[in-house]
Amino acid sequence: MNQGTTASPLRSFVERLRSTRHYIFNWKKKYDGLLLMEMRQLKLLEDENVTLRKLVEDISLNREIQQDVILQKI
């Protein structure tokens, strides 16, 4: 009966370990061979990309709302 209580923390630990190993593998695949300056530049570009995507989403939503208002007036 006690196996259920000990298996759960162990299973949780193993899952976290797999997740960590997967994260490290992906990080290394993405950043391996880059210089520190290049990593910083990549991070800045990724942040800027997120900001631009949000702006495009907002503009698209505003345009959609305007289209709805125009159609309601007709």
Side-chain angles (χ1 to χ4, degrees):
M1 282 198 202
N2 201 12
Q3 285 180 339
T5 58
T6 58
S8 181
L10 180 59
R11 181 173 289 146
S12 176
F13 172 75
V14 169
E15 288 173 2
R16 281 187 282 144
L17 182 61
R18 284 185 187 149
S19 173
T20 301
R21 292 181 80 200
H22 188 266
Y23 172 79
I24 290 170
F25 175 78
N26 284 337
W27 185 90
K28 187 173 181 180
K29 187 171 80 173
K30 184 175 183 178
Y31 295 108
D32 192 31
L34 292 179
L35 301 174
L36 182 61
M37 190 63 164
E38 292 170 328
M39 279 192 242
R40 287 181 181 153
Q41 189 176 23
L42 181 60
K43 177 67 176 150
L44 287 172
L45 289 172
E46 288 173 344
D47 291 345
E48 183 180 6
N49 192 21
V50 168
T51 304
L52 292 173
R53 284 179 189 264
K54 287 179 183 178
L55 285 172
V56 168
E57 185 179 333
D58 287 345
I59 291 170
S60 297
L61 183 61
N62 286 341
R63 183 169 183 240
E64 207 173 295
I65 291 171
Q66 288 173 350
Q67 293 281 338
D68 288 344
V69 169
I70 289 171
L71 288 175
Q72 286 178 359
K73 287 185 177 181
I74 295 179

